[in-house]
């Protein structure tokens, strides 16, 4: 019996996001089931988060397909209005260090002396949402929800409360600081077009079985819809999943301008031939027209 179009799209979305099949079926949008961000500011925020996580992890040889995570993320739950990132064990603190803005005079990008995402703030979600926090920019119509493992929820909540009271002045400020506002144009030039990067973050778990993961090329390009189709068509052997052993990202003191790649074989693009063992039958793809 041929699976329904909805079932095929849910399967695709599940492989792209790490969601369960039941979760994926709840929010099916577009050909692969994954929606774009409906608000431009949401797309910009998600693109900035991907950019910073890439800078922290791209040169880290610690990626292990058995960890079932990419850049410290075990699952993404995208909706048109927002995005939830479920984080691997022992990674939330390192992610905060990478993402939250901090003065960093040693950056090698003209016009930037702030590491992290300018204007980014963090706050705890409601007490009933165990282990949940929100990343946001004051005055912007955008937010990303983070979910830490249950046994780390209390520690994360206490840390977020403290940083809002005793952290860097940028973390305490309820509004953008003058330096963040001044450096935003330079940051946006460095980041480039946000929509393609937003789309990659919403599909980031597609890369979890690869032996190496870096998703932004040295000229700023990211995987396209066709690349994701090729990746999904590749049949990866089933692997037993092990508990993660790493503690997440590390912040680099500079942003190297060379050496980024999506695979071992190409410095300027992702080469699916590394992982494509046998392409799936064309019948496995739903007819979208």
């Amino acid at each position: 019996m041929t699976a329904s179009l909805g079932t095929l799209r849910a399967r695709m979305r599940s492989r792209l996001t790490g969601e369960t099949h039941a979760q994926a079926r709840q929010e099916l949008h577009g050909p692969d089931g994954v929606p774009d961000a409906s608000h431009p500011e949401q797309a910009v925020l998600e693109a900035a988060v991907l950019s910073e996580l890439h800078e922290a992890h791209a040169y880290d040889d610690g990626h292990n397909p058995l960890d079932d995570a990419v850049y410290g993320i075990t699952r993404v739950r995208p909706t048109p209005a927002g995005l939830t990132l479920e984080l691997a064990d022992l990674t939330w603190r390192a992610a905060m260090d990478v993402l939250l803005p901090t003065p960093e005079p040693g950056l090698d990008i003209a016009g930037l002396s702030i590491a992290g995402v300018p204007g980014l703030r963090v706050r705890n979600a409601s007490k009933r949402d165990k282990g949940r926090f929100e990343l946001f920019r004051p005055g912007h119509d955008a937010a990303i929800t983070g979910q830490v493992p249950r046994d780390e929820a209390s520690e994360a909540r206490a840390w977020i409360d403290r940083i809002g009271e005793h952290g860097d002045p940028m973390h305490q400020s309820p509004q953008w600081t003058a330096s963040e506002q001044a450096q935003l144009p330079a940051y946006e030039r460095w980041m480039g077009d946000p929509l393609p990067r937003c789309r990659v973050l919403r599909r980031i778990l597609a890369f979890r079985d690869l032996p190496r993961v870096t998703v932004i090329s040295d000229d700023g390009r990211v995987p396209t819809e066709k690349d994701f189709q090729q990746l999904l068509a590749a049949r990866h052997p089933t692997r037993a999943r092990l508990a993660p052993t790493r503690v997440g990202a590390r912040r680099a003191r500079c942003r190297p301008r060379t050496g980024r790649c999506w695979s071992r074989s190409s410095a300027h693009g992702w080469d699916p031939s590394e992982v494509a063992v046998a392409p799936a039958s064309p019948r496995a793809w739903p007819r979208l027209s």
Side-chain angles (χ1 to χ4, degrees), residues 45-130:
L45 178 60
E46 294 178 20
V49 167
L50 177 71
S51 300
E52 295 298 333
L53 292 177
H54 168 79
E55 288 295 316
H57 286 273
Y59 310 101
D60 180 3
D61 292 332
H63 172 73
N64 185 345
L66 298 181
D67 285 350
D68 206 17
V70 179
Y71 292 176
I73 300 167
T74 60
R75 180 175 294 165
V76 295
R77 304 210 59 195
T79 69
L83 179 68
T84 296
L85 305 178
E86 297 187 14
L87 303 180
D89 294 348
L90 306 174
T91 61
W92 65 267
R93 180 66 183 272
M96 295 291 188
D97 179 60
V98 166
L99 296 173
L100 292 176
T102 305
E104 190 90 35
L107 293 180
D108 68 343
I109 299 177
L112 277 183
S113 60
I114 295 175
V117 181
L120 191 68
R121 305 291 185 266
V122 61
R123 62 193 171 204
N124 281 308
S126 66
K127 290 186 177 180
R128 69 174 180 273
D129 294 325
K130 299 290 186 182

Side-chain angles (χ1 to χ4, degrees), residues 15-269:
R15 291 189 62 187
L16 294 166
T17 65
E19 295 169 299
T20 67
H21 185 79
Q23 289 172 332
R25 287 193 70 95
Q26 295 174 14
E27 287 278 355
L28 290 176
H29 303 264
D32 62 4
V34 180
D36 284 340
S38 60
H39 197 286
E41 290 179 350
Q42 182 68 32
V44 169
L45 178 60
E46 294 178 20
V49 167
L50 177 71
S51 300
E52 295 298 333
L53 292 177
H54 168 79
E55 288 295 316
H57 286 273
Y59 310 101
D60 180 3
D61 292 332
H63 172 73
N64 185 345
L66 298 181
D67 285 350
D68 206 17
V70 179
Y71 292 176
I73 300 167
T74 60
R75 180 175 294 165
V76 295
R77 304 210 59 195
T79 69
L83 179 68
T84 296
L85 305 178
E86 297 187 14
L87 303 180
D89 294 348
L90 306 174
T91 61
W92 65 267
R93 180 66 183 272
M96 295 291 188
D97 179 60
V98 166
L99 296 173
L100 292 176
T102 305
E104 190 90 35
L107 293 180
D108 68 343
I109 299 177
L112 277 183
S113 60
I114 295 175
V117 181
L120 191 68
R121 305 291 185 266
V122 61
R123 62 193 171 204
N124 281 308
S126 66
K127 290 186 177 180
R128 69 174 180 273
D129 294 325
K130 299 290 186 182
R132 289 196 168 220
F133 60 87
E134 292 181 345
L135 298 168
F136 68 102
R137 280 169 150 175
H140 285 211
D141 190 9
I144 294 175
T145 299
Q147 175 71 59
V148 306
R150 182 173 293 275
D151 60 354
E152 300 173 36
S154 297
E155 180 186 0
R157 173 172 286 275
W159 187 88
I160 292 170
D161 284 340
R162 287 197 306 272
I163 200 172
E165 299 174 359
H166 307 294
D168 185 276
M170 288 186 200
H171 306 157
Q172 298 179 53
S173 175
Q175 302 299 327
W176 290 63
T177 63
S179 59
E180 288 174 302
Q181 289 279 16
Q183 295 185 41
L184 182 60
Y187 186 85
E188 291 180 340
R189 286 194 301 271
W190 168 75
M191 185 172 66
D193 185 0
L195 186 55
R197 297 190 182 201
C198 168
R199 287 172 171 163
V200 170
L201 183 60
R202 286 171 170 245
R203 296 164 174 82
I204 194 70
L205 270 298
F207 301 97
R208 62 184 164 184
D209 287 330
L210 298 185
R212 183 183 179 192
V213 178
T214 54
V215 298
I216 302 176
S217 70
D218 61 352
D219 59 0
R221 292 184 299 122
V222 297
T224 64
E225 180 182 354
K226 182 178 179 180
D227 293 324
F228 279 108
Q229 289 180 352
Q230 291 176 312
L231 185 58
L232 287 181
R235 292 176 178 172
H236 303 289
T238 301
R239 298 180 175 94
R241 300 293 179 187
L242 302 181
T245 57
R246 295 175 288 112
V247 295
R250 58 176 182 266
R251 187 195 290 281
R253 290 194 59 82
C254 62
R255 304 177 192 272
R257 306 305 298 169
T258 60
R260 298 180 189 170
C261 58
W262 302 347
S263 75
R264 298 178 192 277
S265 59
S266 172
H268 299 285

